[in-house]
Amino acid sequence: MKKTSLISLFFSFVLMMTASGLFAFPGIQSYLKDESGQYVYYRDYSFPYEAYVGFLYYNEGTYGMRFYAPNQPLEGLPVEADGTSQRAGAPKSVDILFTVNPDVQVTEMTGEKFLTNITGSDTEIVNYLHDLVYEFSARRRKLSEPVVTSEVSSREDFSQFGGKVTMKYAYDIPIFNLKEIIDVDGKPAFQVATVGALASSSDNSFFEFTGFPAPMQDKPRNFVSTEKKPNQKIELGSQEIKLDSQWIPAAENMYLLGDVAMVVFSEFQPAEQVASAGSQAIFDALCRNLSLGTTGAYTDWGNRKINRGKNELEISIRTHLPQDQAVSQNFKFVTKNKAGGYSIMTLTVFDKAYKANRKYFDAIIKSYKVR
């Protein structure tokens, strides 16, 4: 994999800080504004085979939705309930754009366009996607807390998922804020898989998602650190970290370790309007934005780890790059510094290199400080 591909894993983000109570999907108030190109995919366990359902936000009146199965059983063959047997199948994708009336407080679909060829056998899937849009939006509107600012749960009767379920919501998941649905046995029936943002109108990452492989494995890496522990102090503004001679500066705020790892620093001073929202709201917005997948790179929200303090945020998340058959580990640190601004450090390292040199990379993380 080329260094430029690794560099593209770290994207320059725009802080999308908005006041709470903004309307997104008709009748739904959002704490964080949904931006054009943001999307979410769920693993749908209600199918007897691996299946995903995704929703894409274009604007307040236009959305995308997609059903994808990596190996949908061919028609006429038996389907086993556990979905684990090796049976003949093929990838299946149903891609739809649809519009809604943004001027009403209910879900009123006003049109749709199929982006894939639809056959008679696809009708059930299309109807299922329609049902999910109506059900998810209606149930979200009925939450006792109209604006989701933390994790919220609701007990529901949901026939599509087996009856009595627990629906869990989170503030940083776009469109419906839905995180997962837990069935009566305590098992996931519908669970967030990845959340991302398209970089441009030509970015097809949403419609190219093919799920996460199991297990998710990085391709072989030959890197073995010649240093046991970093010993050279690097300073940038309020930030400090220890690296060593193996790391090469690629820019004033960026260091590369061959083609297996990268460290990037940034700092920003929030504008007065953003600062007035308070540091907690700023950390909330950063928590979403720094967890988003980018072009051709899908972050694994099922294994995302978040640590929050009064003045700091730590995010650990894996990223799958299917075209490169690669998996990276991403460690992101946000700290409110003494000047009132925010310092951000990201360490991105390919998974095989990280696991083979865990103590070395963990020592780098441990050495990071903000003054």
Side-chain angles (χ1 to χ4, degrees):
M1 184 178 177
K2 297 179 181 179
K3 291 182 180 179
T4 52
S5 297
L6 182 60
I7 292 172
S8 68
L9 290 177
F10 186 85
F11 56 98
S12 58
F13 68 92
V14 177
L15 181 63
M16 295 174 283
M17 196 63 241
T18 56
S20 63
L22 293 170
F23 283 92
F25 202 86
I28 295 177
Q29 300 181 67
S30 292
Y31 170 52
L32 298 180
K33 182 182 178 182
D34 291 342
E35 298 290 332
S36 180
Q38 288 183 347
Y39 64 85
V40 55
Y41 266 99
Y42 300 90
R43 174 71 188 272
D44 191 339
Y45 292 95
S46 67
F47 288 83
Y49 49 86
E50 184 180 359
Y52 297 87
V53 171
F55 299 98
L56 168 66
Y57 176 87
Y58 280 106
N59 56 51
E60 63 179 4
T62 309
Y63 295 81
M65 57 183 169
R66 181 171 181 251
F67 170 88
Y68 181 78
N71 192 42
Q72 187 190 55
L74 298 176
E75 292 184 37
L77 295 177
V79 177
E80 296 185 19
D82 60 8
T84 59
S85 65
Q86 296 296 321
R87 56 192 181 275
K92 182 64 180 180
S93 185
V94 176
D95 305 354
I96 304 173
L97 294 180
F98 68 98
T99 56
V100 295
N101 184 352
D103 299 322
V104 296
Q105 300 301 299
V106 295
T107 301
E108 181 183 308
M109 283 193 181
T110 56
E112 67 180 348
K113 178 181 180 180
F114 296 103
L115 303 181
T116 49
N117 292 327
I118 302 299
T119 65
S121 61
D122 297 327
T123 302
E124 187 174 346
I125 290 176
V126 172
N127 290 338
Y128 176 67
L129 292 175
H130 288 170
D131 289 345
L132 292 185
V133 170
Y134 283 106
E135 289 285 349
F136 288 166
S137 58
R139 292 168 190 270
R140 172 63 181 81
R141 281 190 289 263
K142 292 178 181 177
L143 277 180
S144 58
E145 299 183 35
V147 181
V148 174
T149 58
S150 60
E151 291 207 355
V152 177
S153 296
S154 176
R155 290 283 292 168
E156 309 265 350
D157 196 328
F158 207 148
S159 60
Q160 285 95 329
F161 297 101
K164 296 293 184 182
V165 300
T166 299
M167 300 185 70
K168 295 185 177 181
Y169 298 87
Y171 71 91
D172 57 352
I173 298 177
I175 305 177
F176 304 115
N177 297 139
L178 180 63
K179 180 179 180 181
E180 63 181 340
I181 300 174
I182 304 298
D183 67 18
V184 69
D185 296 320
K187 297 179 180 179
F190 198 80
Q191 188 175 54
V192 66
T194 189
V195 181
L198 304 182
S200 67
S201 59
S202 61
D203 187 345
N204 292 319
S205 296
F206 175 75
F207 293 108
E208 292 176 352
F209 180 65
T210 58
F212 287 131
M216 193 187 304
Q217 292 185 334
D218 187 27
K219 64 184 180 183
R221 308 285 171 184
N222 296 321
F223 175 76
V224 177
S225 176
T226 59
E227 301 285 346
K228 291 185 178 180
K229 192 174 182 180
N231 53 23
Q232 296 180 10
K233 184 186 295 186
I234 304 295
E235 295 181 318
L236 183 71
S238 65
Q239 301 176 79
E240 176 186 310
I241 200 169
K242 287 185 178 180
L243 301 176
D244 53 57
S245 60
Q246 299 175 103
W247 292 82
I248 305 299
E252 183 181 3
N253 66 329
M254 180 186 298
Y255 290 80
L256 299 179
L257 181 59
D259 61 355
V260 298
M262 175 179 62
V263 167
V264 178
F265 306 94
S266 62
E267 295 191 358
F268 75 94
Q269 190 76 29
E272 184 177 346
Q273 182 180 2
V274 173
S276 66
S279 59
Q280 180 176 334
I282 293 174
F283 278 124
D284 287 343
L286 288 168
C287 189
R288 173 199 268 186
N289 293 333
L290 291 174
S291 300
L292 296 176
T294 58
T295 304
Y298 303 96
T299 47
D300 180 8
W301 278 51
N303 287 284
R304 182 178 65 151
K305 296 179 180 178
I306 304 293
N307 288 318
R308 288 282 295 263
K310 181 179 179 182
N311 292 309
E312 59 272 333
L313 164 69
E314 298 179 10
I315 303 170
S316 174
I317 194 166
R318 298 189 294 183
T319 299
H320 181 225
L321 297 95
Q323 288 189 348
D324 294 308
Q325 298 180 338
V327 176
S328 69
Q329 295 283 354
N330 307 275
F331 304 93
K332 306 188 180 191
F333 299 82
V334 184
T335 308
K336 187 174 183 180
N337 55 46
K338 292 181 180 179
Y342 293 81
S343 302
I344 303 175
M345 188 277 285
T346 294
L347 168 64
T348 300
V349 54
F350 283 119
D351 188 55
K352 287 283 189 181
Y354 175 74
K355 289 178 178 176
N357 303 268
R358 186 184 297 269
K359 289 185 179 180
Y360 171 74
F361 287 110
D362 286 351
I364 291 175
I365 292 172
K366 190 175 180 180
S367 74
Y368 176 67
K369 298 177 182 178
V370 176
R371 298 184 296 277

